[in-house]
Amino acid sequence: MILILAPNTRTDSDEFRQLETFLRHIPDIRYRVHQETGTQQLLTEVYLIGDTASLAAEEIADLPAVERVVRISEEYRVLGRHSDQQRSTSFEYNGVCFGQDNLNVFAGLCAVNTREHVAQMMKALREHGQVCTRMGAYKPRTNPYSFQGHGKSCLPYVFELAGNYGIRVIAMEITHETHVEEIREALRQTGNATGVMLQIGTRNTQNFELLKYVGRQREFPVLLKRGFGITLEESLNAAEYLASEGNRNVVFGLRGMKTNMGDPHRNFVDFAHVPVVKRLTRMPVCIDPSHSVGTRERAPDGLLDIMHVTAQGVIAGANMILVDFHPEPSKALVDGPQALTLDELPFFLEDVRIAREAYEKRVDLAREYPPR
Ligand code: PEP
Ligand code: MN
């Protein structure tokens, strides 16, 4: 059960103390307080854990400071929808809104290689009105002898260039908790020139200790990739690990599933799950067409397979696109064969715009046919 308190209820107020006194006296119930400081107001939710089935919701709703009571299922306690349309499905980070109703594009380098390439990428993004990107510094590789990313040594120039080119959020994978501290330190050194969305890759979706660590910090939002060989439910529970530790600014990323049934694509594209994740949870949903498709193959109609699957995800309501670009794919240190080139950026963005417009028209259409 979640108690949604009146906006701006402070935990040192009389009402809150009275509420706590009441809650402490209910046998077999524990509670946990979550607070979000929004731009307009302070939002407080109290999670009751234990045997809540026997509690009368009307009685709880009459307690001091309580505005609404939401009964929740056991699944995805914090991130789930729980048939409550009024709770927020968006958050803001460094001036960019992430929600289930909008779309942000994160085009960028799978792995940082040179300062020059980072600058070229960011310049192109600025020329096309983009304020987000992806930049890999820590790369989890299948082969231990493959390039593992430049790590912390590239962070200062990546962040500095981001600031110069007006990039507000960089999606950056981390594979170890020490990377969070390295990112924080490099941001500090560059006067917080930009923001970072920590990415948990598909190989770490169920690295529970990493999830707990990242969930305990609330400075950076998190992009959690779906595990490539586990069920959707298991991956959504992984996202819930982050939220249960306190960080609810989580975006859920679909990136294709490992099965040869999807050949000749690198992974079997799972973007049909975009609306499913939005129905089950309040998380914005990201799609990664690059790691799903894995090649630059082009269909006879002139569109790249990567663009076709992007459009499929966007027309289904995706909220974020993580896509590999590179100024010179032949020189990319990781995943060059799937990178789009900078002169393809306007082509890609316009195709996304068309698909998004079609999605918005579909939503308008659905309003004309409300469920009975
Ligand atoms: C990536 O985004 O660079 C990446 C490695 O993705 P994934 O974890 O989905 O393989
Ligand atoms: Mn990659």
Side-chain angles (χ1 to χ4, degrees), residues 10 138 149 321 351:
R10 294 162 48 114
Y138 309 98
I321 306 169
D351 191 38

Side-chain angles (χ1 to χ4, degrees), residues 10 12 59 71 121 273:
R10 294 162 48 114
D12 59 1
E59 195 187 336
R71 277 211 187 273
M121 183 72 234
H273 283 174

Side-chain angles (χ1 to χ4, degrees), residues 110 134 139 266 291 324 334-335 338:
C110 178
R134 58 159 297 152
K139 299 304 299 179
R266 186 172 171 184
H291 290 82
D324 290 1
V334 183
D335 285 347
Q338 69 192 25

Side-chain angles (χ1 to χ4, degrees), residues 284-302:
V285 182
C286 174
I287 53 167
D288 177 341
S290 303
H291 290 82
S292 294
V293 170
T295 76
R296 287 183 41 85
E297 291 298 334
R298 195 181 295 266
D301 55 21

Side-chain angles (χ1 to χ4, degrees), residues 119-184:
Q120 285 173 340
M121 183 72 234
M122 290 184 180
K123 182 164 177 285
L125 290 169
R126 184 172 67 181
E127 279 166 10
H128 293 94
Q130 300 300 304
V131 295
C132 299
T133 189
R134 58 159 297 152
M135 288 285 151
Y138 309 98
K139 299 304 299 179
R141 303 304 302 281
T142 305
N143 185 331
Y145 308 112
S146 303
F147 171 66
Q148 307 279 316
H150 285 311
K152 71 173 178 184
S153 68
C154 69
L155 300 181
Y157 71 77
V158 170
F159 296 160
E160 180 202 311
L161 286 167
N164 295 348
Y165 287 105
I167 300 291
R168 305 203 63 86
V169 187
I170 303 177
M172 182 172 278
E173 178 163 1
I174 52 145
T175 57
H176 192 269
E177 57 189 57
T178 50
H179 300 159
V180 181
E181 189 45 49
E182 289 173 7
I183 288 171
R184 191 179 284 122

Side-chain angles (χ1 to χ4, degrees), residues 53-82:
S54 55
L55 299 179
E58 310 76 52
E59 195 187 336
I60 304 283
D62 283 342
L63 291 173
V66 177
E67 193 172 85
R68 270 181 313 121
V69 174
V70 181
R71 277 211 187 273
I72 57 171
S73 48
E74 281 302 297
E75 293 274 88
Y76 326 131
R77 283 190 190 162
V78 181
L79 293 173
R81 268 193 175 266
H82 311 302

